[in-house]
Amino acid sequence: MKYVLMFAETAQYAEDFAAMTDAERQAAYDEVGRWFTDHAARITHHVHLKPAHTATTMRKVDGHAEVTDGPFVEGKEIVSGFVEIEVANLDEALVVARTWPACPIIEIRPADA
Amino acid sequence: MSGPRDELSRVVRDQAGRLAASLTHLLGDFSAAEDLVQDAIEAALRRWPVEGVPDRPDAWLFTVARNRGLDVLRRQARYREKLTQLQWPTREEPDDRLRLLFTCCHPALPRQAQVALTLRTICGLTTGQIAAAFLVPESTVAQRITRAKRKITDAGIPYRIPSDSELPERLQEVLTVVYLLFNEGYLSSTGDGVWSRRLAEDAEWLASSLAWTLPREPEVIGLLALIRLHQARAAGRFDADGRIVLLPDQDRERWDHAAIAEAGQLIARAAASGRPGPYQLQAAIVACHAEAPRWEDTDWAQIVVLYDMLLAIAPSPVTRLHRAIALRYRAGPEAAMHELDGLAGHLDRYPLFHATRAELLRALGAPEEAREADRRALDLTANPAQRAILEDRISWT
């Protein structure tokens, strides 16, 4: 089955990341790089999104399209990227997601093949 | 002589999980298998009272489930071939039912759905019975089950026993569901005598099935011991009119002392693994009560130590409240009251908090405040037996 792992950042995570030294930040990037290498066989697609302030949201209300700035989730959690993986079932998707070394929230959803 | 309903209850409890497991195993489709079993149970509910209980009730259920499967899947030839190969009794595969239990209690399902699904699939309760036990509308239970089954299929929740590395966490979910079932049955928030007793028995049965399949998991054994100990004291907990008898007043002769001794052995076996956990510790606390020959002999010092260990592993305000109750008998009501003061913000909606405060206030010579606390507890209690105790106290003191 195909699953999409959607990674979400929190305000706290962004703050912690900003407070890191360059060396610490590099180490964090390296960990993410290792994660992609470790799961390369299962990753079919992956996209990292530009920061949340670049987002635009369109809401369709009564046939009328209303365009606003910012991400569609106006809370503290912001989707920062996604990965598509091919695994047998949800438990295998959870095993992959568990080792993700960066931002703290991951939504796991099956995708139509 | 037992009636068709009693006989059906017995067969369903013993066989429904096994039936669902074997059908799931063959069809590879949890939802379809579970529907077939429920259909068969509902057919038995209608037909046995009229036609009489069949000679081999388990085989009857199996045949009905299988035939319904054939009806439903007539157009799906590959399933049909598989279904006709099914035999009853199935080859004994003890892991099948366990696999089903882990599917029902998968962490991707909401807790209430885990509970409903386990009761329906493993214990064979109908949606109506589950609704009655938890005092929610039947349509709510039906919807929870439908959504959960859809999620199992759509999200790709597998039908498998978790690997060793996943087991501790996943087992936690399963044990929580069994524990919730037992709590609901032990002192039902709804107060419906018949179904709450049935839930407690179902929980005991699930715990013993788990302990049979996973004999090396100390928390499984701990939970089984905990449930057995509570069940062993059941005969002393209510008087002839169904009113709660408080622990100090219970007739300890009526407790099942053989079961208490066996539970003690279970606790020792679990402890030998050197991996203590919340269920083992709770069982050890209940054992302190169950093994005391008289209320006056209760080893409160030991109980306080066990609560300290429990709080170190699983801190919670409710556990702190129970520790405070034990502390009252070791260090006096003032020490206990001091603990309670620290909990006020956390447990305002918990009736036992106010009932305990009332008892301590009474011991400390403040009857007016005590009555106020009892009234607060009464406002928050739905269980009729608990209400009766509180009402008594308010009118007599």
Side-chain angles (χ1 to χ4, degrees):
Chain A
M1 282 176 76
K2 272 193 177 26
Y3 288 85
V4 173
L5 312 186
M6 279 169 278
F7 303 111
E9 292 183 356
T10 58
Q12 183 64 50
Y13 178 82
E15 269 174 43
D16 292 350
F17 198 76
M20 283 181 181
T21 65
D22 284 349
E24 285 170 335
R25 233 190 313 271
Q26 191 53 50
Y29 285 133
D30 289 348
E31 263 193 81
V32 171
R34 262 198 301 282
W35 186 86
F36 276 102
T37 313
D38 289 347
H39 300 289
R42 289 162 160 175
I43 294 171
T44 42
H45 198 64
H46 127 250
V47 171
H48 183 250
L49 301 176
K50 297 283 184 204
H53 72 266
T54 64
T56 304
T57 301
M58 178 187 287
R59 285 191 173 82
K60 291 183 172 173
V61 189
D62 300 331
H64 167 77
E66 185 182 286
V67 177
T68 53
D69 70 317
F72 72 91
V73 224
E74 287 158 357
K76 292 175 188 150
E77 294 148 19
I78 303 293
V79 175
S80 62
F82 63 85
V83 158
E84 184 192 87
I85 57 173
E86 174 79 49
V87 288
N89 55 47
L90 181 63
D91 279 359
E92 285 189 18
L94 287 169
V95 169
V96 174
R98 184 173 300 266
T99 59
W100 170 249
C103 54
I105 299 169
I106 307 171
E107 180 171 319
I108 299 154
R109 253 202 268 171
D112 289 330
Chain B
M1 209 183 109
S2 68
R5 269 175 179 268
D6 293 335
E7 182 60 13
L8 181 61
S9 293
R10 188 191 64 73
V11 178
V12 162
R13 172 175 323 197
D14 291 346
Q15 306 293 351
R18 198 171 152 204
L19 241 167
S22 69
L23 287 164
T24 306
H25 192 71
L26 260 109
L27 295 176
D29 183 340
F30 172 88
S31 287
E34 206 263 346
D35 286 344
L36 296 182
V37 177
Q38 286 300 319
D39 281 354
I41 291 168
E42 272 150 33
L45 272 173
R46 281 194 313 273
R47 285 171 50 186
W48 292 9
V50 184
E51 300 169 12
V53 178
D55 287 343
R56 292 179 55 217
D58 54 342
W60 188 95
L61 281 177
F62 173 76
T63 307
V64 171
R66 181 174 157 281
N67 289 345
R68 301 225 160 189
L70 285 171
D71 284 345
V72 172
L73 302 168
R74 184 145 286 151
R75 283 165 303 226
Q76 291 168 278
R78 63 201 175 95
Y79 279 159
R80 183 178 181 166
E81 194 189 338
K82 282 185 167 182
L83 266 178
T84 50
Q85 287 165 1
L86 266 175
Q87 297 291 322
W88 187 262
T90 54
R91 202 155 48 84
E92 196 56 59
E93 289 190 69
D95 285 355
D96 269 2
R97 197 157 55 193
L98 196 62
R99 222 174 287 168
L100 204 55
L101 187 56
F102 276 102
T103 306
C104 293
C105 300
H106 197 280
L109 299 172
R111 176 78 68 213
Q112 288 169 324
Q114 294 176 350
V115 170
L117 214 53
T118 300
L119 281 175
R120 169 142 157 171
T121 308
I122 318 276
C123 305
L125 267 64
T126 62
T127 46
Q129 291 168 336
I130 300 168
F134 288 92
L135 208 69
V136 290
E138 189 172 344
S139 57
T140 307
V141 174
Q143 201 172 40
R144 276 178 197 156
I145 289 175
T146 307
R147 283 207 191 114
K149 287 200 295 192
R150 201 181 302 148
K151 178 150 187 185
I152 288 174
T153 309
D154 293 349
I157 292 176
Y159 168 63
R160 65 187 268 272
I161 296 169
S163 66
D164 286 352
S165 64
E166 299 163 282
L167 195 61
E169 195 182 306
R170 294 286 308 278
L171 194 54
Q172 211 51 54
E173 299 279 337
V174 170
L175 294 178
T176 302
V177 166
V178 176
Y179 184 69
L180 279 176
L181 287 183
F182 180 71
N183 269 354
E184 188 60 30
Y186 175 68
L187 192 58
S188 171
S189 58
T190 66
D192 182 327
V194 179
W195 286 114
S196 50
R197 187 163 310 134
R198 166 79 203 250
L199 284 187
E201 284 169 14
D202 278 329
E204 183 180 4
W205 174 80
L206 278 172
S208 64
S209 307
L210 272 175
W212 175 256
T213 334
L214 298 169
R216 285 177 212 293
E217 290 297 329
E219 279 293 88
V220 174
I221 302 168
L223 180 59
L224 178 60
L226 176 62
I227 292 176
R228 287 260 164 90
L229 283 166
H230 280 309
Q231 295 285 70
R233 296 187 301 136
R237 288 182 60 234
F238 294 93
D239 68 15
D241 301 324
R243 296 163 81 89
I244 292 181
V245 182
L246 295 175
L247 186 57
D249 308 322
Q250 287 181 17
D251 177 2
R252 294 178 184 227
E253 294 287 310
R254 298 183 62 195
W255 293 355
D256 182 345
H257 292 281
I260 291 169
E262 276 172 36
Q265 286 166 5
L266 286 175
I267 293 171
R269 202 176 101 203
S273 73
R275 287 188 282 148
Y279 296 116
Q280 293 171 74
L281 289 168
Q282 287 180 71
I285 290 166
V286 182
C288 283
H289 290 296
E291 288 166 2
R294 298 174 309 159
W295 164 257
E296 298 77 28
D297 302 321
T298 310
D299 188 349
W300 293 107
Q302 176 68 23
I303 290 173
V304 172
V305 167
L306 288 166
Y307 272 121
D308 285 337
M309 290 171 74
L310 186 56
L311 281 167
I313 298 178
S316 95
V318 172
T319 305
R320 279 177 65 196
L321 173 63
H322 283 91
R323 181 183 176 277
I325 296 171
L327 199 63
R328 175 198 171 166
Y329 296 104
R330 206 199 63 184
E334 264 170 71
M337 198 57 171
H338 183 73
E339 282 291 302
L340 245 59
D341 287 341
L343 289 170
H346 300 283
L347 296 174
D348 284 338
R349 312 258 341 131
Y350 189 58
L352 186 59
F353 171 75
H354 297 285
T356 306
R357 262 194 91 234
E359 277 199 48
L360 294 177
L361 285 165
R362 213 165 278 122
L364 293 166
E368 266 311 310
E369 286 179 69
R371 202 167 309 153
E372 202 43 54
D374 269 335
R375 276 203 198 99
R376 182 94 181 92
L378 188 61
D379 286 343
L380 296 167
T381 305
N383 180 279
Q386 271 183 332
R387 290 184 65 88
I389 287 188
L390 292 166
E391 276 162 1
D392 257 12
R393 270 209 317 228
I394 291 168
S395 56
W396 282 98
T397 55

